[in-house]
Amino acid sequence: MANIVIVGAQWGDEGKGKITDLLAEEADIVVRYQGGSNAGHTVKVGEEVFRLHHIPSGILYPGKLCIIADGMVVDPEVLKEEVEELVKRGLSVEGLRISLNAHIVMPYHRILDGIWEARMGKGRIGTTGRGIGPCYADKAARIGIRMSDLLVERLLKEKLAINLEEKNLIISHYRPDLPPLKMEDLLPRYLELGEFFRPYVVNTSQLIHQAMDEKKNILFEGAQGTLLDINYGTYPFVTSSHPIAGGVCIGAGIGPRRIDKVIGVCKAYITRVGEGPFPTEIIGEVGDYLRERGAEYGTTTGRPRRCGWLDLVALKHAVKVNGLDGLAITKLDVLTGLPKLKICVAYRIDGQETDVFPVDANLLKRCEPVYEELPGWERLEDVDDFADLPKEAQDYLRFISSYVALPICIVSLGPRREQTLGWRVRKEGYLWDRIVVDTVD
Ligand code: IMP
């Protein structure tokens, strides 16, 4: 039995979907603890591609419980589409459970997201436009609508009345072109959505505690990434939740001592969508090469992702704030064909070198990367053993592991499940306990 956390160690889009999908096979329960439809996980099974926004990737295996926990914000319109799409493609959603406490993203949140961004002008964050920030803001202001409210007409009506009065004032001021949102439209629609989800809505933290007592394997799946954490990311260019491992405790309702292992997912390079400082960004040919080879376009918004060299200063920050036990390195194949690979090992700021990641966006903007250069490799087959990788690829992985003093437990060479070291020749024990590269290698 184990409680395993998977977190993004960069700015999101690290390939957590695939890693969660791999580990989910050995788990009984998969839990998402923060974020909402701003996330987009792509999982490739055979030739089929599944795009999930709210539902944990574990849903692709029959018989798993997949929990949308208290810390998430749910857009019921999007979630309903996701459920219907899975059912249409012959998958069961019987294992889905949604927390009574999850907050609801309402249509006014999406409008406010656009208004806030427009007002910020050049300082805009480049959000996904999914209403995530305004929904979490209402949660903190204690006027949010929760899943449980969609199940009781009187409660929903009361809360909608308070919100519509305030939100329509703002919307009519900044967007006079839009009609005001009306109680008679929203109340019946959201009650209907409540009825659709009623069979899945439960006290999820109690369910998780019960599963822990029964010694089940539980996988906690983070969305976004460490550098988008509202406290430990590059504020204000962050999301409004806590993607870091600590977010599991507040977002799923478990104590920190119940977590057995934290695995950080890290691409072999780095990407970012949206605005904000990005020291190792590559503008030009090599950046375009990575974007095209890595299909670096947002799952949720389709926006091209900004691409850059692997940043070990940022990774070390992720190791510390998450208390990582091991790394899963993804998309190593994307680097194939580049003759030289740069890795950022320090920042230079005001003439001084540092390996401490500044979370202040203004300071980060002034940081210049200090690189080490490693030789690239020309070909990379779908091998199963670390020893069968090109020597240069082995050295690249060893360099990462030794810089952050952490073992690498998973290496992914492509989007499919079998494009993972150690996948075809299955050994005893859990995948999350394997070590592909040890720091002492
Ligand atoms: P929001 O979460 O939509 O408010 O967006 C805030 C910032 O987080 C923006 O820079 C987004 O591009 C980024 N972001 C949100 N979700 C994801 C994700 O799943 N992957 C990568 N970036 C994301």
Side-chain angles (χ1 to χ4, degrees), residues 11-13 16 37-41 113 125-134 223-225 228 236-240 272-275 300-301 303 305:
W11 273 293
D13 308 316
K16 294 179 295 296
S37 70
N38 48 349
H41 283 169
D113 202 344
I125 289 152
T127 70
T128 60
R130 295 299 186 107
I132 306 298
Q224 290 86 45
L228 290 172
F237 302 99
V238 291
T239 192
S240 305
R272 155 159 229 181
V273 266
E275 307 301 319
T300 302
T301 58
R303 287 181 290 179
R305 295 179 185 142

Side-chain angles (χ1 to χ4, degrees), residues 165-236:
E165 187 190 347
E166 180 197 272
K167 270 58 177 195
N168 275 331
L169 260 178
I170 303 172
I171 293 170
S172 63
H173 180 79
Y174 289 106
R175 291 291 308 270
D177 54 312
L178 293 179
L181 291 159
K182 293 201 187 88
M183 177 70 85
E184 58 266 37
D185 297 330
L186 293 189
L187 185 63
R189 178 62 187 153
Y190 281 79
L191 285 171
E192 201 180 304
L193 288 164
E195 281 315 306
F196 182 86
F197 288 114
R198 189 184 288 274
Y200 308 101
V201 178
V202 292
N203 176 341
T204 54
S205 70
Q206 191 205 16
L207 199 63
I208 295 168
H209 293 144
Q210 193 184 324
M212 290 198 297
D213 290 344
E214 290 167 7
K215 311 223 177 303
K216 298 266 169 66
N217 285 331
I218 309 180
L219 197 60
F220 295 92
E221 171 187 1
Q224 290 86 45
T226 303
L227 304 178
L228 290 172
D229 185 277
I230 193 160
N231 275 359
Y232 302 100
T234 49
Y235 191 90

Side-chain angles (χ1 to χ4, degrees), residues 288-310:
D288 297 343
Y289 182 85
L290 294 176
R291 187 173 310 103
E292 293 316 310
R293 275 187 67 93
E296 296 295 356
Y297 293 89
T299 316
T300 302
T301 58
R303 287 181 290 179
R305 295 179 185 142
R306 300 156 68 192
C307 298
W309 298 114
L310 182 61

Side-chain angles (χ1 to χ4, degrees), residues 31-33 67-73 97-99 102 204 208 251-252:
V31 182
R32 255 196 70 188
Y33 56 91
I67 296 182
I68 290 178
D70 314 63
M72 280 191 71
V73 290
R97 298 289 182 278
I98 308 167
S99 167
T204 54
I208 295 168

